[in-house]
Structure formats: structure tokens, C-alpha cells
Amino acid sequence: VLAGIAVLAFPVGVWPVYRFGRRLRKLSKQGQEEIGMLAALLNEAVLGNRVVKLFGREKFEQERFELENEKLTKTFVRSEKLRALTGPVNEALASFAIAAVVLYGGFSVMNGYRSQGEFIAFLIAVFLLYDPFKKLSRVSSVVQQGLAGAQRIFEVLDSEPSVSEPLQPIALAVGNSIKFENVSFRYREISPQAGGAERPPALEDVELLIEEGTKVAIVGFSGAGKTTLVDLIPRFMDPTRGRITIGGVDISKVGLKELRQRIAMVSQHTFLFNDSVYNNIAYGKPSATREEVLAAARAAHAADFIAQLPQGYDTILGEAGLSLSGGERQRVAIARAILKDAPILILDEATASLDNRSEREVQQALEQLLRGRTAIIIAHRLSTVRNANRIVVMRDGRIVEHGTHDELLALSGEYAKLHALQFAAIEAPEGSSQPVWNRLPL
């Protein structure tokens, strides 16, 4: 009977542990999310410190940080309150249970139903049982925090990748011609406010053949879909409809590693690692000799400024390579692509951050690099692409014109408008105050 009374009291003691545990797990997850937000906010403010200073937004950034920090503090305080409450609540409930046992047991001893020794032995057993149970309730809070962390980790691990390896990959063919067959692509809106709604198509019904060993330039106004088009080739994303082949083989059926070994890319958004200049250049070819790395740097016209760095090629560049200028970072990225020596080369505004002199030097290096390779060049400056074998003009995600520089100028179409914006010298009528760009035939 006494054991029955004690056992009935244990579920009552378990109930607050369960209730507090669920709440603690929720608060732990919320706290971890807020830590992530705070870290992202701080990283953003530090990396964008020049913008913050230029626009005088130091106070705003400080207030924003303080607001997030206060939310995190409140979450932690609520979490600690719950953890602190677990012990006293269990102690109080246990006191009531023990009091009931002592009251009933005491009366039973006084009335002669059981001996004093039996009752004392039972009480000792109950007290011995209670101490491990109390420790278990303290462990529960730690377990709940761990479960909250595990839940966040598994949310990432269980997410489906947008680009997946084929189950039975096939080998690429020897050829390096690239063909887009009825390719369309949409970016999905991922913000919660948009409810997963789809954007207008970034590419629509693109048909394009880039023959092996040719140099094809892709031009068009901003937002035409040029970068999206070339990002589909190394499968940074897959087309919504249609397919892309290299040497006649559908790239969605090729292993990602094999596919990307064939491609070197220099993007307009240059990224360098917090490592030495040497390791950044050799990143795409770890087996390269020092002579090969130095030759790639010379070909990209990066050797001169590297020699002036404190430790030369062993200089650590810092986070994202921000210790270098934009043009210097771009030349290191070009050297990295030169060293990889891949048969397919993609240049997405590869010389955008260079001055005119550096651009001419790098263009000469690239001309050597492009020989015998299948090359796709995105450029806003038409002077850099006029010698391409073919120029493809894009507008609103579609190919509207293609041909050589002279053929496209003769069409007086989209390419001619782009050319006029950059090269046509239009004299304003006498007395006219209208800007030049308002008089262009757009």
C-alpha cells in the first residue's frame, strides 16, 4: 500500500519535468536561431563597414544589434527561469508525496498494522529512490537543449539538394561542344512573405549551340538572363525545362565532379579564401608545381603586384581576400582559372574590376588561354567581345539575335542599341537640354 502511494506520486513529479522540458526545447531552438541572426547581423555590419560609415548609419546598426541582443537575452532569461523552476517544483511535489506516506504509515504503525522497523525501512528506500529521480529531472533540461540543437542540424541534413548526383552517372564524351535545347528556368521566391510564389522566368525556350573550340560572347542589358544561362552549365542549378548537353551527353546524367573538372570559371563576384596567394591560385589544381603557379600568375598579369606584397606569394589575404583591391582579386581569380587549364572556359565579366591598361594586358593573356578552348564570355563592354566567333544577344530571358559583330550592327536591332549606348557620339541639337541617353533609340 505504501509503495502504491509512492508510485502514484511519481507521475505527478514527472508531469512538470515533461511540461518544462517541452517549453525548454522550444526556447533552446529559438535561442539558437537568434544567435544565428545576431552573428549574421554582426558579420554583415563588419564586412559592410565602409557602407555603414559612408551613409552615417553607425547608430542604426548599433540599435539593430542591441535589439537582436535584447531578444536573445530575454530568451535566455526565460530558459534559465524554467530550468531553475524544475527543481523547486519537484521538491514541493515530492514533499507532498512523502508527507502522505508518512501520515498514512505513521497511523498504520500506531494502530499496529505494521512494525516501526518495516516503516523505517520503507522510508529509507523511498529517499534512496528520490535522489536519482531528482538528478534525472536536472538531466532532462540538458537533453532538451541537445534535442533542440539536433533538430536544427537535421533540418539542414534532411533538406533535399536542388542539384543531385545521378544514380548511375555516365562519362562525358571527348567533345566539348555545348548545346541548350529548349531550356527554361525560373527562380523560386523563397521569402516567407511571398509564400513560395514563382518569379517570372529568367530563361525561356533558349536554343543555342556553342561549337567546340569557338568563342561565343553573350551580351544584353542587365537582367537579360546572361549569368543564369552560364550558371546552368556547371549545374549550380538545373533548368526548369529542357536539357543541356556537352559533346552530345546530357549533363544531368554526368557526375558533378567529372562535369566541373571540364569547366573553369571567372565570375564578376570574385571570391578568395582566407589563405595565401599561392594556395588561392593553386586551389583548382592542388597537384600543380610552383613553376606552374608562378606561370599562371604571370599570364594573368598578377605577378607584379604579388611581388610587392609583404610575404609575396605566401601573404595571407584575409577574409574573402579583402586586403586586395577589386582588380587584384580578379587577376588572382583569372590566374586560378588559367592554372586549372580546363577545356571549357566561362568568363562572366572577368575584367569588370580592371582599369583600361590592366584590362588590355589581361585580355592579351586571355586570348592565349582561349585558343583551342570552348569559351563563353559575358561582357557589358562590347569592345571586349567584338572579335568573338559569334555574339548572342539576350533580352528578357530569350535569345533575340546572334551573329558576328558586323552582322549584328547591320541588323540595327538590339545589339545596335547596345553599341550606340557605348560608342555612338550623338550631338545634342542646339539649345536642347535633353540628356543624350534620352535621345537614343531604345
Side-chain angles (χ1 to χ4, degrees):
V1 175
L2 291 174
I5 295 171
V7 168
L8 286 173
F10 270 101
V12 179
V14 169
W15 180 80
V17 174
Y18 170 74
R19 292 288 297 173
F20 289 165
R22 286 187 61 186
R23 182 72 180 141
L24 198 60
R25 187 194 300 189
K26 186 178 178 182
L27 286 172
S28 295
K29 185 180 179 185
Q30 185 179 330
Q32 288 170 1
E33 288 172 353
E34 287 168 359
I35 287 173
M37 287 287 293
L38 195 66
L41 193 66
L42 189 60
N43 184 59
E44 199 175 64
V46 171
L47 290 179
N49 71 88
R50 292 191 175 196
V51 177
V52 175
K53 292 173 184 174
L54 184 64
F55 289 94
R57 299 287 277 173
E58 292 92 342
K59 190 172 180 4
F60 168 76
E61 290 297 334
Q62 184 178 344
E63 288 172 352
R64 198 157 65 132
F65 177 83
E66 287 173 354
L67 183 65
E68 287 294 330
N69 197 33
E70 188 178 350
K71 283 168 61 179
L72 177 61
T73 303
K74 285 180 178 177
T75 301
F76 278 162
V77 167
R78 286 158 64 195
S79 177
E80 288 301 320
K81 281 180 178 177
L82 274 177
R83 193 178 290 107
L85 269 174
T86 306
V89 168
N90 281 333
E91 294 280 359
L93 290 171
S95 298
F96 285 119
I98 291 170
V101 169
V102 170
L103 188 64
Y104 177 80
F107 276 114
S108 66
V109 170
M110 289 169 63
N111 293 327
Y113 296 127
R114 61 179 53 84
S115 68
Q116 293 178 4
E118 288 174 343
F119 180 56
I120 294 299
F122 175 77
L123 281 180
I124 291 170
V126 168
F127 284 128
L128 288 173
L129 181 64
Y130 174 64
D131 190 55
F133 177 74
K134 193 164 62 172
K135 288 179 181 176
L136 192 64
S137 68
R138 287 198 294 267
V139 168
S140 174
S141 62
V142 180
V143 170
Q144 295 303 329
Q145 281 184 304
L147 289 173
Q151 185 179 350
R152 280 174 56 79
I153 291 169
F154 282 109
E155 281 175 4
V156 176
L157 293 177
D158 293 340
S159 60
E160 291 292 330
S162 57
V163 174
S164 57
E165 287 274 8
L167 295 175
Q168 295 181 327
I170 60 176
L172 275 172
V174 177
N176 294 299
S177 61
I178 304 170
K179 188 175 184 182
F180 292 80
E181 299 177 7
N182 194 32
V183 170
S184 297
F185 180 80
R186 284 179 185 267
Y187 289 101
R188 286 196 64 81
E189 186 62 64
I190 58 172
S191 66
Q193 294 83 359
E198 289 186 335
R199 301 179 187 178
L203 296 173
E204 197 161 8
D205 300 324
V206 173
E207 291 278 350
L208 176 63
L209 174 62
I210 301 169
E211 295 178 357
E212 183 175 3
T214 60
K215 182 169 69 173
V216 173
I218 302 176
V219 300
F221 290 105
S222 295
K226 306 182 295 296
T227 299
T228 301
L229 185 73
V230 297
D231 280 350
L232 293 174
I233 299 171
R235 288 192 71 198
F236 293 146
M237 49 206 180
D238 283 333
T240 310
R241 188 176 70 246
R243 70 173 195 154
I244 303 165
T245 63
I246 293 180
V249 178
D250 188 341
I251 62 172
S252 65
K253 298 177 181 177
V254 178
L256 290 173
K257 185 175 181 180
E258 183 184 0
L259 171 66
R260 291 167 183 171
Q261 280 177 340
R262 288 235 184 157
I263 301 167
M265 188 173 189
V266 181
S267 171
Q268 56 185 318
H269 305 295
T270 304
F271 181 84
L272 300 179
F273 294 93
N274 185 13
D275 204 341
S276 65
V277 178
Y278 182 93
N279 288 340
N280 269 286
I281 295 174
Y283 190 79
K285 191 179 178 182
S287 61
T289 64
R290 189 169 183 86
E291 276 306 312
E292 288 175 326
V293 172
L294 299 184
R298 286 193 296 270
H301 292 267
D304 290 342
F305 84 80
I306 294 173
Q308 295 172 7
L309 294 174
Q311 284 85 40
Y313 284 86
D314 296 321
T315 302
I316 302 298
L317 298 181
E319 188 173 2
L322 293 176
S323 60
L324 301 180
S325 70
E328 289 169 344
R329 288 199 302 273
Q330 210 151 24
R331 275 182 272 185
V332 171
I334 291 169
R336 184 164 59 193
I338 290 172
L339 182 64
K340 188 176 181 183
D341 196 25
I344 297 173
L345 183 62
I346 299 172
L347 303 176
D348 184 359
E349 290 290 331
T351 59
S353 298
L354 303 180
D355 56 59
N356 290 334
R357 179 183 173 184
S358 298
E359 184 183 11
R360 282 196 300 272
E361 292 173 347
V362 172
Q363 283 292 346
Q364 291 170 4
L366 290 176
E367 286 298 327
Q368 296 293 326
L369 177 66
L370 294 174
R371 286 180 184 173
R373 287 178 171 80
T374 305
I376 305 168
I377 304 166
I378 295 176
H380 284 292
R381 283 183 275 192
L382 302 185
S383 58
T384 63
V385 299
R386 61 188 305 161
N387 294 325
N389 300 108
R390 189 154 60 115
I391 299 172
V392 175
V393 186
M394 295 190 69
R395 184 180 65 198
D396 299 329
R398 293 177 177 272
I399 294 175
V400 292
E401 294 172 357
H402 61 88
T404 64
H405 172 75
D406 293 332
E407 290 170 350
L408 292 173
L409 282 181
L411 288 175
S412 299
E414 191 80 5
Y415 184 80
K417 292 177 185 178
L418 286 166
H419 191 271
L421 278 170
Q422 294 188 30
F423 300 108
I426 302 177
E427 297 292 337
E430 194 170 335
S432 171
S433 60
Q434 189 181 23
V436 169
W437 51 83
N438 283 352
R439 302 192 306 277
L440 291 172
L442 299 178

